[in-house]
mmCIF file of all heavy atoms in Angstrom:
data_model
loop_
_atom_site.group_PDB
_atom_site.id
_atom_site.type_symbol
_atom_site.label_atom_id
_atom_site.label_comp_id
_atom_site.label_asym_id
_atom_site.label_seq_id
_atom_site.Cartn_x
_atom_site.Cartn_y
_atom_site.Cartn_z
ATOM 1 N N GLN A 35 10.096 4.264 8.891
ATOM 2 C CA GLN A 35 11.526 4.570 8.770
ATOM 3 C C GLN A 35 11.718 5.578 7.642
ATOM 4 O O GLN A 35 11.146 5.448 6.553
ATOM 5 C CB GLN A 35 12.344 3.322 8.504
ATOM 6 C CG GLN A 35 13.854 3.588 8.500
ATOM 7 C CD GLN A 35 14.659 2.312 8.433
ATOM 8 O OE1 GLN A 35 14.463 1.500 7.527
ATOM 9 N NE2 GLN A 35 15.575 2.125 9.367
ATOM 10 N N VAL A 96 3.961 23.327 18.379
ATOM 11 C CA VAL A 96 4.557 24.381 19.191
ATOM 12 C C VAL A 96 5.323 23.741 20.338
ATOM 13 O O VAL A 96 4.835 22.804 20.987
ATOM 14 C CB VAL A 96 3.471 25.339 19.725
ATOM 15 C CG1 VAL A 96 4.081 26.367 20.679
ATOM 16 C CG2 VAL A 96 2.772 26.043 18.569
ATOM 17 N N GLN A 288 7.692 19.640 37.901
ATOM 18 C CA GLN A 288 7.703 18.248 37.457
ATOM 19 C C GLN A 288 8.209 18.153 36.018
ATOM 20 O O GLN A 288 7.833 18.959 35.161
ATOM 21 C CB GLN A 288 6.298 17.661 37.557
ATOM 22 C CG GLN A 288 5.799 17.473 38.974
ATOM 23 C CD GLN A 288 6.578 16.395 39.717
ATOM 24 O OE1 GLN A 288 6.940 15.371 39.139
ATOM 25 N NE2 GLN A 288 6.817 16.628 41.000
ATOM 26 N N PRO A 429 1.319 59.259 32.663
ATOM 27 C CA PRO A 429 1.682 60.640 33.000
ATOM 28 C C PRO A 429 1.664 61.510 31.743
ATOM 29 O O PRO A 429 1.474 61.016 30.624
ATOM 30 C CB PRO A 429 3.085 60.496 33.577
ATOM 31 C CG PRO A 429 3.633 59.277 32.908
ATOM 32 C CD PRO A 429 2.470 58.349 32.728
ATOM 33 N N ASP A 474 24.330 58.865 28.864
ATOM 34 C CA ASP A 474 24.645 58.615 30.278
ATOM 35 C C ASP A 474 24.285 57.170 30.591
ATOM 36 O O ASP A 474 23.119 56.848 30.812
ATOM 37 C CB ASP A 474 23.852 59.577 31.174
ATOM 38 C CG ASP A 474 24.193 59.397 32.660
ATOM 39 O OD1 ASP A 474 25.116 58.613 32.980
ATOM 40 O OD2 ASP A 474 23.520 60.036 33.500
#
Side-chain angles (χ1 to χ4, degrees):
Q35 185 172 55
V96 175
Q288 291 292 322
D474 182 6

